[in-house]
Amino acid sequence: MKAAIFTSVQATTGPFLEIKEVPRPQPKAGHVLLRVLACGVCRTDLHIVEGDLPPVRPQLIPGHQIVGEVVDGATADLPLGTRVGVSWMGGVDGNCWYCRHEMEKLCDNPTFTGYTVNGGYAEYALVRDDFTFPLPAGLDNEHVAPLLSEGIIGFRSLHVAGIEPGERVGLFGFGSSASLAVPILQSWKCEVYVVTRGESHRRAAASLGATWIGKEDDKPPVELDRAITFAPSGKVVVSALASLRKGGVVAINAIHLDQMPAFDYDKLLWGERQIRSVANMTRQDARDFLGVAQALPIRPHVTSFSLEEANKALLAVKKETESGSAVIVP
Ligand SMILES: [Zn+2]
Ligand SMILES: [Zn+2]
């Protein structure tokens, strides 16, 4: 099969991936083989190929927003031809302290799709059958792909931030994940304040009907109840914190931050403000979000790339040239 391969000793300035023929994965117990129909390109993929996340395999097929159809390993629940989604959480051990306490997102021995195991930048992908999700029928392959990580984790961030209906919510950085959260916030009658450096991102926020939109160093005109940061920057977390009312929460939706700058505790954190990180997701988060996405509906803006154009797709995410999501269609 054709696949885009990341070799961890490769120079990290790009091109990151090499497109080549590799053996198709062999079916194994507890897994289904998927023919990949589409695979979204997430910012985390960029963190992997740029070395922000340490390499865990010498050779890797990235990609963790997989839409695929079952072509081998079918079960009663997943008959041949079933269309399913796969996300970043590709498996857990089921018996560590976190799994036993209903916090599988924090599992001590997790499998991460497209990082600790091969992912979906390929014609086929082998995935754990119990970490696949049925997909809403109303969304085609390319439009459902970005929901599988960017969408789910954005949704999770709203819960980590503890958002209540009608609150004033700041979104700091406005890529795909943030834009997918806007329709949910609007359905909760929240006011949405967007702070982002990218001109195309400000336009995207305007087209989605954000309450207020500012540039990188602008401060929202009101004190925020909650803020979520989407940019991989510690400076942005501090800006978000500086916009909160007492008792407000900043949720950091980033698997990697450049660094956290020093900040004034007395002014910014005292008063029971909180900073929380958003890590991974549970299977229930995925099911809940996909249900909400179908009901609203949430329809991402996508740009499609062929598998041969995988490097171009990563660069589009890196340079933030597109206001929506990049999707690879093998
Ligand atoms: Zn576990
Ligand atoms: Zn992701």
Side-chain angles (χ1 to χ4, degrees), residues 92-100 103-104 106-110:
V92 293
D93 60 8
N95 55 30
C96 75
W97 188 87
Y98 297 97
C99 284
R100 285 186 281 107
M103 286 184 276
E104 69 178 18
L106 300 178
C107 177
D108 280 333
N109 301 293

Side-chain angles (χ1 to χ4, degrees), residues 41-45 64-65 87-88 148-150 153:
V41 178
C42 180
R43 178 161 283 277
T44 300
D45 302 343
H64 61 268
Q65 303 190 92
S87 187
W88 173 245
L148 291 166
S149 169
E150 295 159 296
I153 201 79

